[in-house]
Amino acid sequence: MGKAIVITSGKGGVGKTTSTANIGTALALQGKKVCLVDMDIGLRNLDVVLGLENRIIYDIVDVVEERAKLHQAIIKDKRFNDHLYLLPAAQNADKSAVNEQQMIDLVGELKSDYDYILIDCPAGIEQGFKNSIAAADEAILITTPEISAIRDADRIIGLIEKTDIIGPKLIINRIRKNMMQSGEVMDVDEITRHLSVDLLGIIFDDDNVVRSSNQGNPVVLNPDNSASQAYRNIARRILGETVPLMSIKEEKLSIWQKLFGKNK
Amino acid sequence: MAQKILLKGVKDGYQIHLQDSGSYDELMEELAELIQGIKKDSQSFSNKHKEIQVLVKTGKRLFEESEKIKIRETIEEIPLFKVKAITSDVIEIEKAEMWQKEVSLILEIATVRSGQIIEASGDILLIGNINPGGMIRSKGNIFIIGELQGIAHAGFEGNDQAVVVSNFAHKSQVRIADHIHVMEENSEENEENQSSTKFSYKAAYMNDLHILDFEPVNGLKKVRPQLGNLSRRLYENG
């Protein structure tokens, strides 16, 4: 029996879809069978980030309206030896095309076939959000150190706490080390304390995330990248391992390292 | 037949004790008899006499509103008699629970998040933070052990004697009854707090000029002496 985890934030543009793709990929790399469900009906992106856009034949609305079977709509990502799958959202419908009960049934069906079902939640707290959390067992909350994202995260936690979902876990995304060190934004401790939830991971802002998403490759595939490492750590924590947080300190290069290049 | 009604003279009028045994009809019959008797005797009273206050005590029995009116009418057949009140030694459970709610302190351990409202009909003690956009609201007083960054509204049905006790260390909003006070981060109220190393607790209250004021907690007894005195407040409620 699999576990359904919703990935949500409230505010848009903080990295829900990117995180869903990367955490899903990282779990698949750890040998788990993962199905990603895009719930952003009408504004689907998860397929794009994974580079699977051109392979969509049926979508979630087709399944709900019984024009297609579930297995027909699910796309297999060939890069991961039968470990990563995607159920795409519809583009020509809106959030009300699916209701909460249909979502519960759908995810219930997926749970028997997959270890993890990651639900990519749309921004906002309307029907799309309600559908996304209806079927979830756990929740991952994405925020950035920006005050507006934190405020929305607080609201979302309040809504999630009213459901049966096990306490949401926090990911702080797009951390700019220099700003956090100089105290221009709230630091990791302050954000975690303010929201009073468990911290699942922190991800530093990195141009490569956007670069590789644009090529349809989740950044997590590149093992040298710091964001990639962060997503891999998050996946390991989801699997129950204890992994220390990455250091926020900007590593200071010694004069010799500066002179001869950074060769570590 | 045992007497079901007792007429007592007291300093400021009469008291009529209605026994709580026997049926209502029997009781009313006896009451009517008694009143008729007094009426006859009082024929001699002239109208110079001023009104006589009568307090009706019903023991461990509660009467319906219609029955109370009947009792009142029966007694007031004597022109000089004026029923001051009909009281009982007991109250309804529903009313008792309401009272209890209003006078007891509710303990809430929670984080009040953006969009959430915690509401109480009596005093409330919150252990936890009120995040921006969150709200705590009470007909009575509010005590907060934690950081107030949202809205605290005490006495929200118009009780301007209510207080809010907290360390006012952040941007927030304090409301008492219909009065709204916006706290800025570096406002006067918490300026001295910020200069000292630790934030001290203060009570926000409505002063005599109907302006929201702040008093260190050790001065709270002075501005709201009745606070925390349960029996006195019960009496006020009764």
Side-chain angles (χ1 to χ4, degrees):
Chain A
M1 197 66 180
K3 212 184 261 179
I5 305 175
V6 61
I7 295 172
T8 182
S9 73
K11 188 177 180 296
V14 296
K16 285 181 294 297
T17 301
T18 312
S19 295
T20 308
N22 281 296
I23 295 168
T25 307
L27 285 168
L29 290 173
Q30 294 272 339
K32 297 292 169 191
K33 201 175 170 195
V34 181
C35 184
L36 309 180
V37 180
D38 191 350
M39 277 307 288
D40 204 345
I41 300 170
L43 290 167
R44 69 176 178 212
N45 291 134
L46 191 51
D47 51 321
V48 183
V49 171
L50 288 165
L52 300 173
E53 199 173 6
N54 59 343
R55 299 189 38 210
I56 298 172
I57 298 164
Y58 297 110
D59 55 49
I60 191 166
V61 175
D62 291 324
V63 175
V64 164
E65 292 179 358
E66 295 180 352
R67 286 193 292 267
K69 292 259 180 283
L70 187 54
H71 69 85
Q72 290 177 302
I74 289 175
I75 304 165
K76 180 161 72 177
D77 192 329
K78 288 183 181 146
R79 290 170 288 190
F80 303 105
N81 317 315
D82 298 352
H83 282 311
L84 190 66
Y85 297 79
L86 169 71
L87 176 58
Q91 192 68 321
N92 54 0
D94 62 33
K95 317 287 193 238
S96 58
V98 179
N99 66 33
E100 279 137 291
Q101 189 54 48
Q102 287 167 332
M103 196 59 199
I104 293 168
D105 296 343
L106 191 91
V107 172
E109 209 177 321
L110 288 172
K111 273 189 199 171
S112 54
D113 291 338
Y114 297 90
D115 299 318
Y116 286 92
I117 296 124
L118 301 186
I119 304 165
D120 183 19
C121 178
I125 53 172
E126 293 83 18
Q127 190 61 42
F129 169 75
K130 287 178 192 158
N131 287 341
S132 304
I133 64 167
D137 306 311
E138 291 177 22
I140 292 175
L141 190 77
I142 316 269
T143 186
T144 67
E146 268 177 73
I147 196 84
S148 49
I150 295 168
R151 198 72 78 243
D152 288 359
D154 191 46
R155 177 92 172 96
I156 294 292
I157 299 167
L159 293 172
I160 290 175
E161 279 174 350
K162 274 195 264 176
T163 65
D164 300 332
I165 295 174
I166 301 168
K169 292 213 163 68
L170 184 70
I171 292 178
I172 304 170
N173 196 10
R174 292 232 189 97
I175 294 174
R176 291 205 233 155
K177 290 185 187 178
N178 55 344
M179 285 187 87
M180 203 169 261
Q181 272 182 308
S182 64
E184 286 168 278
V185 296
M186 285 169 91
D187 70 29
V188 172
D189 267 358
E190 278 172 329
I191 296 169
T192 315
R193 211 174 329 115
H194 177 85
L195 295 173
S196 54
V197 288
D198 294 340
L199 186 65
L200 185 62
I202 56 173
I203 299 155
F204 300 124
D205 196 27
D206 192 326
D207 293 347
N208 282 316
V209 177
V210 181
R211 198 169 293 138
S212 61
S213 283
N214 282 351
Q215 294 162 356
N217 290 318
V219 72
V220 77
L221 292 173
N222 170 9
D224 302 327
N225 183 272
S226 89
S228 158
Q229 196 53 53
Y231 280 120
R232 284 169 188 236
N233 289 348
I234 286 166
R236 285 165 64 194
R237 291 189 195 108
I238 291 173
L239 296 172
E241 281 181 54
T242 313
V243 188
L245 276 187
M246 286 195 288
S247 165
I248 194 117
K249 293 242 165 62
E250 200 92 61
E251 62 258 49
K252 288 247 161 57
L253 299 181
S254 73
I255 186 146
W256 298 108
Q257 280 174 311
K258 277 183 191 159
L259 279 174
F260 299 110
K262 207 173 117 190
N263 38 7
K264 283 205 294 180
Chain B
M1 196 173 75
Q3 233 184 345
K4 293 204 167 10
I5 295 181
L6 208 70
L7 183 70
K8 253 188 175 174
V10 291
K11 206 168 61 189
D12 54 347
Y14 286 109
Q15 280 187 1
I16 295 178
H17 292 240
L18 307 178
Q19 296 291 318
D20 46 25
S21 60
S23 76
Y24 173 69
D25 293 333
E26 279 172 18
L27 198 71
M28 288 309 289
E29 218 171 274
E30 204 174 309
L31 182 65
E33 236 168 70
L34 175 81
I35 295 297
Q36 288 310 320
I38 299 172
K39 209 175 172 182
K40 257 183 237 154
D41 293 347
S42 67
Q43 293 300 342
S44 53
F45 291 171
S46 68
N47 285 341
K48 313 189 279 236
H49 276 83
K50 66 174 185 24
E51 221 165 56
I52 297 164
Q53 298 280 339
V54 180
L55 180 70
V56 182
K57 292 194 159 187
T58 66
K60 288 190 176 61
R61 170 155 36 193
L62 286 171
F63 286 110
E64 296 284 334
E65 217 42 57
S66 61
E67 294 169 336
K68 280 188 189 169
I69 292 171
K70 197 77 191 296
I71 293 171
R72 195 179 281 266
E73 277 173 359
T74 314
I75 294 170
E76 288 180 355
E77 267 178 40
I78 303 170
L80 286 179
F81 276 18
K82 179 86 193 134
V83 177
K84 189 166 75 177
I86 300 174
T87 64
S88 168
D89 294 343
V90 292
I91 58 169
E92 282 165 48
I93 287 182
E94 205 180 302
K95 198 170 173 190
E97 280 175 348
M98 208 181 72
W99 265 13
Q100 205 237 340
K101 257 191 208 154
E102 277 178 17
V103 299
S104 60
L105 182 71
I106 294 158
L107 175 65
E108 191 81 50
I109 300 175
T111 304
V112 187
R113 300 180 183 281
S114 179
Q116 292 182 325
I117 300 177
I118 285 194
E119 204 174 283
S121 53
D123 294 353
I124 182 163
L125 170 63
L126 174 78
I127 300 183
N129 295 349
I130 301 173
N131 285 352
M135 185 172 186
I136 184 166
R137 191 155 76 176
S138 162
K139 287 187 200 169
N141 305 297
I142 297 173
F143 311 99
I144 302 160
I145 298 181
E147 306 299 328
L148 171 63
Q149 291 181 269
I151 301 170
H153 191 175
F156 84 93
E157 280 190 351
N159 174 13
D160 57 12
Q161 292 297 298
V163 299
V164 177
V165 177
S166 178
N167 67 346
F168 298 96
H170 302 275
K171 269 162 87 173
S172 63
Q173 206 182 89
V174 181
R175 303 183 186 174
I176 291 176
D178 53 1
H179 198 95
I180 299 173
H181 184 85
V182 176
M183 298 279 274
E184 295 301 339
E185 199 128 29
N186 295 307
S187 64
E188 229 173 274
E189 290 87 36
N190 57 29
E191 204 170 63
E192 46 191 293
N193 268 343
Q194 285 182 347
S195 59
S196 65
T197 44
K198 68 175 200 295
F199 292 103
S200 61
Y201 278 79
K202 284 188 174 178
Y205 72 106
M206 200 87 94
N207 69 13
D208 297 338
L209 300 168
H210 217 71
I211 293 168
L212 213 138
D213 209 349
F214 293 83
E215 179 74 26
V217 275
N218 49 359
L220 184 57
K221 195 82 196 167
K222 212 165 54 205
V223 294
R224 289 285 179 273
Q226 79 282 16
L227 200 75
N229 189 342
L230 184 73
S231 58
R232 188 155 168 186
R233 285 168 53 208
L234 252 176
Y235 178 72
E236 279 167 14
N237 265 314

